[in-house]
Amino acid sequence: MGCTTTQSQEGVSMEAGHFHLTALLATVLTALYWPNPGLSQDTVVHLMPAPQHIAINEGRLRLDRAFRVHLSGHSDPRLLAAVARVLHVMRNKTGIPLALLPSPDPEQSVFEIQCEGPGEKIQSVRSDESYTLEVNNRGGRLAAPSPIGILRGLETFLQLIDMDSESFYVPAVKIEDRPRFPWRGLLIDASRHWQPVEVIHRNLDAMAAMKMNVFHWHLSDDQGFRVESRLFPKLHQIGSEGDYYTQDEIRETVAYARNRGIRIVPEFDVPGHTTAWLAAYPELASAPGPYAIERSWGVLDPCMDPTNKKVYAFLDAFIGEMAELFPDEYFHVGGDEVNGKHWNANPRIRSFKARQKLKDNRDLQAYFNRRLARILEKYGKKMIGWDEVLHPNLPKNVTVQSWRGQASLADSVREGHPGILSYGYYLDQMQPAEFHYAIDPLGKEAANLRDADKNQILGGEACMWGEFINSDNIESRIWPRAAAIAERLWSSAETRDVSDMYRRLDYVNHELTARGLMHRCHYLEALQRMAGELDLDPLTKLADLLQPTGLSVRARTRKYSSLVPLNRMVDAVMPESEAARHLADLIDIALANPLRSKDAFQKIRALLTDWRDHRVQVKPFIEQSFILREVDPLSDAVFELCMAGLEALDYIEAQRKPTEAWQTKATSLLERCEKPQAEMLVAIVPPIQELVHAANAIP
Amino acid sequence: MGCTTTQSQEGVSMEAGHFHLTALLATVLTALYWPNPGLSQDTVVHLMPAPQHIAINEGRLRLDRAFRVHLSGHSDPRLLAAVARVLHVMRNKTGIPLALLPSPDPEQSVFEIQCEGPGEKIQSVRSDESYTLEVNNRGGRLAAPSPIGILRGLETFLQLIDMDSESFYVPAVKIEDRPRFPWRGLLIDASRHWQPVEVIHRNLDAMAAMKMNVFHWHLSDDQGFRVESRLFPKLHQIGSEGDYYTQDEIRETVAYARNRGIRIVPEFDVPGHTTAWLAAYPELASAPGPYAIERSWGVLDPCMDPTNKKVYAFLDAFIGEMAELFPDEYFHVGGDEVNGKHWNANPRIRSFKARQKLKDNRDLQAYFNRRLARILEKYGKKMIGWDEVLHPNLPKNVTVQSWRGQASLADSVREGHPGILSYGYYLDQMQPAEFHYAIDPLGKEAANLRDADKNQILGGEACMWGEFINSDNIESRIWPRAAAIAERLWSSAETRDVSDMYRRLDYVNHELTARGLMHRCHYLEALQRMAGELDLDPLTKLADLLQPTGLSVRARTRKYSSLVPLNRMVDAVMPESEAARHLADLIDIALANPLRSKDAFQKIRALLTDWRDHRVQVKPFIEQSFILREVDPLSDAVFELCMAGLEALDYIEAQRKPTEAWQTKATSLLERCEKPQAEMLVAIVPPIQELVHAANAIP
């Protein structure tokens, strides 16, 4: 708590700027970014998020064992750790055995790091993250006003490493960079399904690589209470079944995040979503117990009693304990989805409302939130809550996180609250990256806001809710799609070329794998589990063409709970099929100029033939595995879609109109295949649809 | 040290039995093992190492969330940890969210674990590792006289998990099992290339899965001193460049290993292989310094001075410090490859030899070893050394580890020393698993030994020397091949069916991946590094057909040192090509009965056509990557070999004799492709050779 007080007095001079991109920088961006046709070498960079300003110059810094780093300016233990980490990743990416310690001698170093000022004791939303990076064929120089800027610049440097016919190298560049928004978060729900601490750490590494700076740790919900509490040990003992973070692990993770320039904002969701608390301490509830950890999800009735003095005494002590564990100045109290049923059913609560002139449950929750805000203030914390906390009586310094819409974000800031956008950033909905990429916290809903209100929009957070994730598949559900959100929040608003984003997103996969992310590995392991000891290739080819449906669809399909195994194909396949996207790209090329795209047609034909022929190979898998049986119709669908696509290609290449019968059959096939099957979608339906439409359109 | 004394007095009653397989068990094995034709269900198990006795019965224990474990009998903290670990692996293998805590109620448990006696305070070579495991369709029961036996049985249980068209299950079995040899080790050299502690832990997990029980940690050599010494801090400071294990990490790793039933035997190699020591403390050397960490490898001149009293004082203090850190009763002092050049060059040493009547350097080393043995004895340690320590003056209780031959092992035990075999188990030579599998510590060289001498042969150790490994590729160099050695040391001498071993070895790959081993993932990452951002498939297909040459070949090919990056194709490709083995199997089937193997011929043709056609796809990789350029001739070789193979198939299927010209051309192609290229071998040369021979043999 001492720490937090210190922190909130620091860096106030930075308060003014949220680093919205200046118009000047924005305009040069499109011109200078990516391939620079004036250069003798064909240098293309893959940076994600795209920097605010980059000039690619002539020359390449060749990487070899002589690469040494020298640190100058303000020293900070984070910088030493970061250099060792960067050199370790460089080892991973190049295989060159580099010395991990900085060189004491600037003359003997190839890369100079100049940190111009100290960092804050506790990183804050006001921290300066800007940096400049310059590389030429003799060396590089990274400078920043604070250690956080150095951390960001080092991640850029790592992403610049490439290879040509001569060696590994970093292209000569000059980069000036800073974030557009100061709050670029990722939420992980560790309650509905447990996520071990090493999973959290891997995701922190990936966040750092994508320059995200807030880890929002959803630590309690109806399905589990996940932090050790020494004051109220029944919280983790009864509320978690043994799957909780010890206080040592929390401290270690906070330090781990800090080393990577990431703040950790804990969320303890109250007064709803609290069944796990109430299982441990039923005396806090609005209805008589006993309670048990909830296994299913949704909006549930159990709820703390906001009229009970003991609740506030409990929360006061509990928040005091957590405030010391989590040094960040923000503290998230949830506040979402209180259905009020238990409040309505309790005569004591009803009469309290009448006495206090609280006309409805929204008023009652606002009463609760005001008292909560006072407790948080006492511990030097800023309160943050979901949309539903918004109420005329809510203190203005409470930050609102909008999950219900961009209009609701605009409402919040208009009413004087700082705001964060999560609507449109729900990764559990299994939307493609381009969907999230198009969502801008300063989008059209914010167009009519005054500038002062716009500045209250701090940024956004990607949300990984835990209904359908476990420690095996969480990484593939977050990455690489969250990188598109990271770019939306870091880069200029004008950086919005979708196909260039996807080009770089493929690269992000390799980048994150080189940094230890497991999403690719876990995918293969999950398929292997379903395949038994059979060779994996045919199954992988099928799985590469499938996509999971999102939370809303799955929740309607069958009765789920946290006890249902997430071991099916739908839990393994990637949210966005790269193979289908590749097909769609080829079809775009082919259809744009059917007479001059022989090569594209040939490639499409090869792909569709290959995929069509897999049905035979995949059958043995399906027969022997109870888990794969449900995949059979999907395998058939891929077969039929490929057949239809090949026939459509014939028509298009011959410019021959298909028969009515063919058209009817193809249309009905597409309609049938569009529907989810085994909670999955066949990702090649839309591109095949394009081919069929093109064939049908032949005069 | 207090611990070690306690330990060496324990378990003496077990001394008698090394659990050599009884004749009775051996005979029933072949009959009962693997598919049991009497059963209504077709149950095949994949256990590795094969148990001494297994009966597969009717029925399957279906696995679901109700699976609970109950512990009874002697309690040991290792058992609780093991149960949590096993359930965690079960979660990994099935995706079923299992409760990790044992059930307090035997009635509610499905799996009963009965530990009949306490374990030793410190696990020893005398520990009882036997267990019995019985599973039927209602539940399972594992019993063992000691916690170590329970650990072994749990690993067997995990390997039994399989899947059918209904669910995950464990087949009904009755297993009685115990090891043939009490010393089943793996050596990892962490000196020549650094191996971080997490790599060590992953390998300990893999060892435990394969029931190996000794981790031999090669901690010092010319290229690096890898343990923190508080008494002599320059050892790790100057001797390691920052890559060393802290004492906390050592303690943690010793506990990690103990929890998995694995002893850790540290090796500090003296008096040769000590350049890294001498860089820190040149006063211990036989020739004047200064010394620096050595970058190249081989037999080098630097050596401790056995005539210098300070050397013994130093070693006494150092060994005292390490004896506390490593509780095992054995302590390895190396002793290999002393070339004596610095001894010969030093007049003081020459006159010492004359004075002491030491006729040569072997005598001088024996003098050194005798003094060393006395120091070890003082700290309650048993000395173990490599072949070269063998000398008439060597105390009889010193164990000899034979790396130079099985005859040398026989010599050692004949002279009264306990012995361990490592000859034939050198994983860095990149031999196929079947090569190692055929090497038996009680092989023909031991045939003439007396029974008492045979009993002195404690077992063997697979050796992973560090010249050509780093933390990326070490796991693929050890696994799965070390599993064949693990089976040789655990299972009956009669378990020697090579094709059944390979059948199960493929399964070991999945098994170890499910337990967290990274060999498959790191392979793909290494290929991706070489491929840049290109799609990996074509490169993987080529890489799958290549094999690295072993240490002896590579060391002659170019000037290597620990500073040379291990980032080439030779460092990535798997030691043994599964694809080539699969091809060879198909060819065996086809050639055994050419007229009735249409299906096999078809499959061979499909494979060869597929591989032949990859050359076109792989060219873009090779052009753009400086690392891949050397792979070009290998890609060409695969192309030509596939062409030749397809032509040979034509001749064989048509039973038409090839022309002289074709025969000459094919033979010269094979001769050319047999030679290493870029330090790699094309793994399909031998199977293509078979096809060509078969074609040539047509009358």
Short mmCIF file of all heavy atoms in Angstrom, two decimals, chain A residues 46 65 92-94 97 163-165 167-168 510 521 528-530 533 563 567 624 626 629, chain B residues 46 65 92-94 97 163-165 167-168 510 521 528-530 533 563 567 624-626 629:
data_model
loop_
_atom_site.label_atom_id
_atom_site.label_comp_id
_atom_site.label_asym_id
_atom_site.label_seq_id
_atom_site.Cartn_x
_atom_site.Cartn_y
_atom_site.Cartn_z
N HIS A 46 8.18 -7.16 -40.96
CA HIS A 46 6.94 -7.83 -40.55
C HIS A 46 6.45 -7.30 -39.22
O HIS A 46 5.75 -8.00 -38.49
CB HIS A 46 7.20 -9.32 -40.39
CG HIS A 46 8.05 -9.92 -41.46
ND1 HIS A 46 7.54 -10.33 -42.66
CD2 HIS A 46 9.38 -10.16 -41.52
CE1 HIS A 46 8.53 -10.80 -43.42
NE2 HIS A 46 9.65 -10.71 -42.74
N ARG A 65 28.40 -13.80 -33.81
CA ARG A 65 28.77 -13.95 -32.41
C ARG A 65 29.34 -12.65 -31.82
O ARG A 65 29.36 -12.46 -30.62
CB ARG A 65 29.74 -15.12 -32.32
CG ARG A 65 30.58 -15.19 -31.11
CD ARG A 65 30.25 -16.35 -30.18
NE ARG A 65 30.97 -16.10 -28.93
CZ ARG A 65 30.50 -16.34 -27.72
NH1 ARG A 65 29.32 -16.85 -27.56
NH2 ARG A 65 31.21 -16.07 -26.65
N ASN A 92 17.58 -18.11 -29.81
CA ASN A 92 16.51 -18.98 -30.31
C ASN A 92 16.26 -18.75 -31.79
O ASN A 92 16.03 -19.69 -32.54
CB ASN A 92 15.19 -18.70 -29.59
CG ASN A 92 15.10 -19.42 -28.26
OD1 ASN A 92 15.98 -20.20 -27.92
ND2 ASN A 92 14.04 -19.15 -27.53
N LYS A 93 16.29 -17.49 -32.19
CA LYS A 93 15.91 -17.17 -33.55
C LYS A 93 17.03 -17.40 -34.55
O LYS A 93 16.77 -17.54 -35.74
CB LYS A 93 15.44 -15.70 -33.64
CG LYS A 93 14.11 -15.46 -32.91
CD LYS A 93 13.61 -14.04 -33.08
CE LYS A 93 12.97 -13.82 -34.43
NZ LYS A 93 12.23 -12.56 -34.51
N THR A 94 18.26 -17.41 -34.08
CA THR A 94 19.38 -17.53 -35.01
C THR A 94 20.24 -18.76 -34.76
O THR A 94 20.96 -19.19 -35.65
CB THR A 94 20.32 -16.31 -34.91
OG1 THR A 94 20.93 -16.33 -33.61
CG2 THR A 94 19.57 -15.01 -35.10
N PRO A 97 25.38 -18.68 -30.68
CA PRO A 97 25.61 -18.63 -29.22
C PRO A 97 26.12 -17.25 -28.81
O PRO A 97 27.31 -16.98 -28.86
CB PRO A 97 26.66 -19.71 -28.99
CG PRO A 97 27.32 -19.93 -30.30
CD PRO A 97 26.41 -19.45 -31.38
N MET A 163 16.56 -13.18 -42.40
CA MET A 163 17.62 -13.99 -42.97
C MET A 163 17.62 -13.79 -44.47
O MET A 163 16.55 -13.63 -45.07
CB MET A 163 17.32 -15.44 -42.64
CG MET A 163 18.28 -16.43 -43.23
SD MET A 163 17.76 -18.14 -42.93
CE MET A 163 16.00 -17.99 -43.06
N ASP A 164 18.79 -13.76 -45.08
CA ASP A 164 18.83 -13.73 -46.54
C ASP A 164 19.80 -14.79 -47.02
O ASP A 164 20.16 -15.69 -46.26
CB ASP A 164 19.18 -12.32 -47.06
CG ASP A 164 20.52 -11.83 -46.53
OD1 ASP A 164 21.33 -12.68 -46.06
OD2 ASP A 164 20.76 -10.62 -46.57
N SER A 165 20.24 -14.67 -48.24
CA SER A 165 21.10 -15.73 -48.77
C SER A 165 22.52 -15.65 -48.20
O SER A 165 23.38 -16.45 -48.52
CB SER A 165 21.14 -15.65 -50.29
OG SER A 165 21.58 -14.35 -50.67
N SER A 167 23.19 -14.32 -44.49
CA SER A 167 23.28 -14.49 -43.04
C SER A 167 21.97 -14.05 -42.39
O SER A 167 21.07 -13.55 -43.06
CB SER A 167 24.40 -13.61 -42.47
OG SER A 167 23.98 -12.25 -42.49
N PHE A 168 21.89 -14.20 -41.07
CA PHE A 168 20.86 -13.49 -40.30
C PHE A 168 21.24 -12.02 -40.26
O PHE A 168 22.43 -11.67 -40.20
CB PHE A 168 20.77 -14.04 -38.88
CG PHE A 168 20.11 -15.39 -38.81
CD1 PHE A 168 20.87 -16.54 -38.59
CD2 PHE A 168 18.74 -15.51 -38.95
CE1 PHE A 168 20.26 -17.79 -38.54
CE2 PHE A 168 18.13 -16.75 -38.89
CZ PHE A 168 18.89 -17.89 -38.69
N HIS A 510 5.20 -17.37 -35.96
CA HIS A 510 6.58 -17.85 -35.81
C HIS A 510 7.30 -17.09 -34.70
O HIS A 510 8.03 -17.67 -33.91
CB HIS A 510 7.37 -17.67 -37.11
CG HIS A 510 6.65 -18.16 -38.32
ND1 HIS A 510 5.81 -19.24 -38.29
CD2 HIS A 510 6.65 -17.71 -39.60
CE1 HIS A 510 5.33 -19.44 -39.50
NE2 HIS A 510 5.81 -18.52 -40.31
N CYS A 521 2.34 -26.16 -30.91
CA CYS A 521 2.64 -27.48 -30.35
C CYS A 521 1.41 -28.14 -29.75
O CYS A 521 1.14 -29.31 -29.97
CB CYS A 521 3.70 -27.36 -29.26
SG CYS A 521 5.29 -26.95 -29.89
N GLN A 528 -2.96 -35.41 -31.88
CA GLN A 528 -2.36 -36.71 -31.64
C GLN A 528 -3.16 -37.51 -30.61
O GLN A 528 -3.34 -38.71 -30.74
CB GLN A 528 -0.91 -36.54 -31.17
CG GLN A 528 -0.12 -37.84 -31.12
CD GLN A 528 0.23 -38.36 -32.51
OE1 GLN A 528 0.93 -37.73 -33.25
NE2 GLN A 528 -0.28 -39.52 -32.86
N ARG A 529 -3.64 -36.81 -29.61
CA ARG A 529 -4.46 -37.48 -28.60
C ARG A 529 -5.68 -38.12 -29.24
O ARG A 529 -6.06 -39.23 -28.89
CB ARG A 529 -4.88 -36.45 -27.55
CG ARG A 529 -5.77 -36.98 -26.48
CD ARG A 529 -5.86 -36.02 -25.33
NE ARG A 529 -6.49 -34.77 -25.73
CZ ARG A 529 -6.31 -33.61 -25.11
NH1 ARG A 529 -5.51 -33.55 -24.07
NH2 ARG A 529 -6.92 -32.53 -25.51
N MET A 530 -6.28 -37.42 -30.20
CA MET A 530 -7.46 -37.98 -30.86
C MET A 530 -7.09 -39.07 -31.85
O MET A 530 -7.89 -39.96 -32.13
CB MET A 530 -8.21 -36.87 -31.59
CG MET A 530 -8.84 -35.88 -30.63
SD MET A 530 -9.79 -34.61 -31.51
CE MET A 530 -8.62 -33.29 -31.53
N GLU A 533 -2.15 -43.66 -31.93
CA GLU A 533 -0.77 -43.73 -32.40
C GLU A 533 -0.64 -43.62 -33.91
O GLU A 533 0.44 -43.83 -34.47
CB GLU A 533 -0.06 -44.98 -31.85
CG GLU A 533 -0.63 -46.29 -32.27
CD GLU A 533 -1.81 -46.70 -31.40
OE1 GLU A 533 -2.46 -45.84 -30.77
OE2 GLU A 533 -2.09 -47.90 -31.37
N LEU A 563 -16.91 -29.34 -15.88
CA LEU A 563 -16.50 -30.74 -15.75
C LEU A 563 -16.52 -31.48 -17.08
O LEU A 563 -16.11 -32.64 -17.16
CB LEU A 563 -17.40 -31.46 -14.75
CG LEU A 563 -17.42 -30.87 -13.34
CD1 LEU A 563 -18.26 -31.72 -12.42
CD2 LEU A 563 -16.01 -30.72 -12.79
N ASN A 567 -11.84 -31.95 -24.96
CA ASN A 567 -10.85 -32.79 -25.66
C ASN A 567 -11.31 -33.16 -27.06
O ASN A 567 -10.80 -34.10 -27.64
CB ASN A 567 -10.57 -34.05 -24.83
CG ASN A 567 -11.82 -34.89 -24.59
OD1 ASN A 567 -12.90 -34.54 -25.07
ND2 ASN A 567 -11.67 -35.97 -23.86
N GLN A 624 -11.69 -45.53 -35.44
CA GLN A 624 -11.14 -46.12 -34.22
C GLN A 624 -11.26 -45.21 -33.01
O GLN A 624 -10.95 -45.62 -31.90
CB GLN A 624 -9.69 -46.51 -34.43
CG GLN A 624 -8.76 -45.33 -34.45
CD GLN A 624 -7.32 -45.77 -34.24
OE1 GLN A 624 -6.93 -46.88 -34.61
NE2 GLN A 624 -6.52 -44.94 -33.64
N PHE A 626 -13.47 -42.75 -30.52
CA PHE A 626 -14.82 -42.25 -30.15
C PHE A 626 -14.89 -40.74 -30.26
O PHE A 626 -15.95 -40.19 -30.48
CB PHE A 626 -15.18 -42.72 -28.74
CG PHE A 626 -14.47 -41.96 -27.64
CD1 PHE A 626 -15.13 -40.98 -26.92
CD2 PHE A 626 -13.15 -42.22 -27.32
CE1 PHE A 626 -14.49 -40.28 -25.89
CE2 PHE A 626 -12.51 -41.54 -26.31
CZ PHE A 626 -13.17 -40.56 -25.59
N ARG A 629 -15.56 -39.51 -34.06
CA ARG A 629 -16.71 -39.95 -34.83
C ARG A 629 -17.51 -38.76 -35.36
O ARG A 629 -17.95 -38.75 -36.49
CB ARG A 629 -17.59 -40.89 -34.00
CG ARG A 629 -18.56 -41.66 -34.88
CD ARG A 629 -19.28 -42.76 -34.13
NE ARG A 629 -18.35 -43.60 -33.40
CZ ARG A 629 -18.56 -44.02 -32.14
NH1 ARG A 629 -19.66 -43.67 -31.50
NH2 ARG A 629 -17.66 -44.78 -31.54
N HIS B 46 1.41 -50.90 -25.55
CA HIS B 46 2.60 -50.29 -26.15
C HIS B 46 3.68 -50.07 -25.10
O HIS B 46 4.51 -49.19 -25.25
CB HIS B 46 2.24 -48.93 -26.73
CG HIS B 46 0.94 -48.90 -27.47
ND1 HIS B 46 0.84 -49.29 -28.77
CD2 HIS B 46 -0.31 -48.54 -27.08
CE1 HIS B 46 -0.42 -49.17 -29.17
NE2 HIS B 46 -1.13 -48.72 -28.16
N ARG B 65 -14.55 -38.81 -15.39
CA ARG B 65 -14.30 -37.88 -14.29
C ARG B 65 -14.40 -38.56 -12.93
O ARG B 65 -13.88 -38.06 -11.94
CB ARG B 65 -15.28 -36.72 -14.45
CG ARG B 65 -15.53 -35.89 -13.26
CD ARG B 65 -15.00 -34.46 -13.37
NE ARG B 65 -15.10 -33.88 -12.04
CZ ARG B 65 -14.20 -33.13 -11.48
NH1 ARG B 65 -13.13 -32.77 -12.13
NH2 ARG B 65 -14.34 -32.68 -10.25
N ASN B 92 -3.75 -34.51 -19.43
CA ASN B 92 -3.12 -34.21 -20.73
C ASN B 92 -3.49 -35.23 -21.78
O ASN B 92 -3.72 -34.90 -22.93
CB ASN B 92 -1.58 -34.22 -20.60
CG ASN B 92 -1.04 -32.93 -20.08
OD1 ASN B 92 -1.79 -31.98 -19.87
ND2 ASN B 92 0.26 -32.88 -19.85
N LYS B 93 -3.52 -36.51 -21.37
CA LYS B 93 -3.71 -37.57 -22.35
C LYS B 93 -5.17 -37.75 -22.74
O LYS B 93 -5.47 -38.32 -23.79
CB LYS B 93 -3.14 -38.89 -21.83
CG LYS B 93 -1.62 -38.87 -21.73
CD LYS B 93 -1.05 -40.20 -21.29
CE LYS B 93 -1.03 -41.21 -22.43
NZ LYS B 93 -0.24 -42.41 -22.10
N THR B 94 -6.07 -37.33 -21.85
CA THR B 94 -7.49 -37.59 -22.13
C THR B 94 -8.31 -36.31 -22.25
O THR B 94 -9.40 -36.34 -22.80
CB THR B 94 -8.12 -38.41 -21.00
OG1 THR B 94 -8.12 -37.61 -19.80
CG2 THR B 94 -7.36 -39.69 -20.75
N PRO B 97 -11.18 -33.47 -17.07
CA PRO B 97 -10.76 -32.70 -15.88
C PRO B 97 -10.86 -33.55 -14.62
O PRO B 97 -11.91 -33.65 -14.01
CB PRO B 97 -11.73 -31.52 -15.86
CG PRO B 97 -12.92 -31.95 -16.65
CD PRO B 97 -12.50 -33.06 -17.57
N MET B 163 -7.52 -45.57 -26.31
CA MET B 163 -8.83 -45.06 -26.72
C MET B 163 -9.43 -46.04 -27.70
O MET B 163 -8.70 -46.65 -28.49
CB MET B 163 -8.60 -43.73 -27.41
CG MET B 163 -9.85 -43.10 -27.93
SD MET B 163 -9.47 -41.60 -28.88
CE MET B 163 -7.91 -41.99 -29.60
N ASP B 164 -10.73 -46.25 -27.62
CA ASP B 164 -11.37 -47.06 -28.65
C ASP B 164 -12.60 -46.30 -29.16
O ASP B 164 -12.71 -45.10 -28.95
CB ASP B 164 -11.72 -48.45 -28.10
CG ASP B 164 -12.65 -48.38 -26.90
OD1 ASP B 164 -13.30 -47.33 -26.68
OD2 ASP B 164 -12.74 -49.38 -26.17
N SER B 165 -13.50 -47.00 -29.80
CA SER B 165 -14.64 -46.30 -30.39
C SER B 165 -15.65 -45.87 -29.33
O SER B 165 -16.66 -45.26 -29.65
CB SER B 165 -15.30 -47.19 -31.43
OG SER B 165 -15.69 -48.40 -30.80
N SER B 167 -14.52 -44.86 -25.64
CA SER B 167 -13.98 -43.93 -24.63
C SER B 167 -12.47 -44.12 -24.48
O SER B 167 -11.89 -45.01 -25.09
CB SER B 167 -14.62 -44.20 -23.26
OG SER B 167 -14.09 -45.40 -22.72
N PHE B 168 -11.87 -43.29 -23.63
CA PHE B 168 -10.53 -43.60 -23.14
C PHE B 168 -10.65 -44.75 -22.15
O PHE B 168 -11.64 -44.85 -21.42
CB PHE B 168 -9.91 -42.39 -22.45
CG PHE B 168 -9.47 -41.32 -23.40
CD1 PHE B 168 -10.21 -40.15 -23.55
CD2 PHE B 168 -8.33 -41.48 -24.17
CE1 PHE B 168 -9.80 -39.16 -24.44
CE2 PHE B 168 -7.91 -40.50 -25.05
CZ PHE B 168 -8.65 -39.34 -25.19
N HIS B 510 4.83 -40.11 -28.73
CA HIS B 510 3.59 -39.45 -28.29
C HIS B 510 3.53 -39.38 -26.77
O HIS B 510 3.13 -38.38 -26.18
CB HIS B 510 2.35 -40.19 -28.79
CG HIS B 510 2.41 -40.54 -30.24
ND1 HIS B 510 3.02 -39.73 -31.15
CD2 HIS B 510 1.92 -41.61 -30.93
CE1 HIS B 510 2.91 -40.29 -32.36
NE2 HIS B 510 2.26 -41.42 -32.23
N CYS B 521 8.35 -30.45 -31.02
CA CYS B 521 8.16 -29.01 -31.21
C CYS B 521 9.43 -28.32 -31.64
O CYS B 521 9.42 -27.49 -32.55
CB CYS B 521 7.69 -28.38 -29.90
SG CYS B 521 6.05 -28.85 -29.46
N GLN B 528 11.48 -24.02 -38.98
CA GLN B 528 10.86 -22.72 -39.27
C GLN B 528 11.92 -21.62 -39.29
O GLN B 528 11.86 -20.71 -40.11
CB GLN B 528 9.79 -22.42 -38.21
CG GLN B 528 8.94 -21.20 -38.54
CD GLN B 528 7.96 -21.49 -39.67
OE1 GLN B 528 7.09 -22.33 -39.54
NE2 GLN B 528 8.11 -20.79 -40.78
N ARG B 529 12.88 -21.71 -38.39
CA ARG B 529 13.95 -20.73 -38.36
C ARG B 529 14.68 -20.70 -39.69
O ARG B 529 15.03 -19.65 -40.20
CB ARG B 529 14.91 -21.09 -37.23
CG ARG B 529 16.08 -20.17 -37.10
CD ARG B 529 16.76 -20.37 -35.76
NE ARG B 529 17.35 -21.69 -35.65
CZ ARG B 529 17.60 -22.31 -34.51
NH1 ARG B 529 17.29 -21.73 -33.38
NH2 ARG B 529 18.14 -23.50 -34.48
N MET B 530 14.88 -21.87 -40.26
CA MET B 530 15.59 -21.92 -41.55
C MET B 530 14.70 -21.51 -42.70
O MET B 530 15.17 -21.01 -43.72
CB MET B 530 16.10 -23.35 -41.78
CG MET B 530 17.20 -23.74 -40.83
SD MET B 530 17.86 -25.38 -41.20
CE MET B 530 16.99 -26.35 -39.99
N GLU B 533 9.64 -17.12 -43.15
CA GLU B 533 8.20 -17.13 -42.94
C GLU B 533 7.47 -18.02 -43.93
O GLU B 533 6.23 -18.01 -43.99
CB GLU B 533 7.63 -15.71 -42.90
CG GLU B 533 7.77 -14.90 -44.14
CD GLU B 533 9.14 -14.22 -44.24
OE1 GLU B 533 10.13 -14.70 -43.61
OE2 GLU B 533 9.23 -13.25 -44.96
N LEU B 563 31.55 -22.24 -29.99
CA LEU B 563 31.05 -20.95 -30.48
C LEU B 563 30.42 -21.06 -31.87
O LEU B 563 29.86 -20.09 -32.37
CB LEU B 563 32.19 -19.93 -30.53
CG LEU B 563 32.90 -19.66 -29.20
CD1 LEU B 563 33.92 -18.56 -29.35
CD2 LEU B 563 31.88 -19.29 -28.12
N ASN B 567 22.80 -24.32 -35.85
CA ASN B 567 21.52 -23.87 -36.39
C ASN B 567 21.29 -24.37 -37.80
O ASN B 567 20.46 -23.84 -38.52
CB ASN B 567 21.46 -22.33 -36.37
CG ASN B 567 22.58 -21.69 -37.17
OD1 ASN B 567 23.39 -22.39 -37.78
ND2 ASN B 567 22.62 -20.37 -37.16
N GLN B 624 16.46 -18.72 -50.76
CA GLN B 624 16.42 -17.49 -49.97
C GLN B 624 17.15 -17.60 -48.64
O GLN B 624 17.27 -16.62 -47.93
CB GLN B 624 14.97 -17.09 -49.72
CG GLN B 624 14.27 -17.96 -48.70
CD GLN B 624 13.02 -17.29 -48.17
OE1 GLN B 624 12.40 -16.48 -48.84
NE2 GLN B 624 12.64 -17.61 -46.96
N SER B 625 17.62 -18.78 -48.31
CA SER B 625 18.17 -18.96 -46.96
C SER B 625 19.62 -19.40 -47.03
O SER B 625 19.94 -20.44 -47.62
CB SER B 625 17.34 -20.01 -46.22
OG SER B 625 18.06 -20.53 -45.15
N PHE B 626 20.49 -18.61 -46.41
CA PHE B 626 21.91 -18.98 -46.45
C PHE B 626 22.15 -20.30 -45.73
O PHE B 626 23.08 -21.02 -46.04
CB PHE B 626 22.78 -17.88 -45.82
CG PHE B 626 22.72 -17.81 -44.32
CD1 PHE B 626 23.75 -18.34 -43.54
CD2 PHE B 626 21.63 -17.24 -43.68
CE1 PHE B 626 23.69 -18.28 -42.15
CE2 PHE B 626 21.58 -17.18 -42.29
CZ PHE B 626 22.60 -17.71 -41.53
N ARG B 629 21.30 -23.47 -48.12
CA ARG B 629 21.95 -23.70 -49.42
C ARG B 629 22.60 -25.07 -49.49
O ARG B 629 22.50 -25.77 -50.49
CB ARG B 629 22.98 -22.59 -49.68
CG ARG B 629 23.37 -22.57 -51.16
CD ARG B 629 24.21 -21.36 -51.51
NE ARG B 629 23.55 -20.14 -51.05
CZ ARG B 629 24.20 -19.13 -50.48
NH1 ARG B 629 25.51 -19.20 -50.27
NH2 ARG B 629 23.55 -18.04 -50.10
#
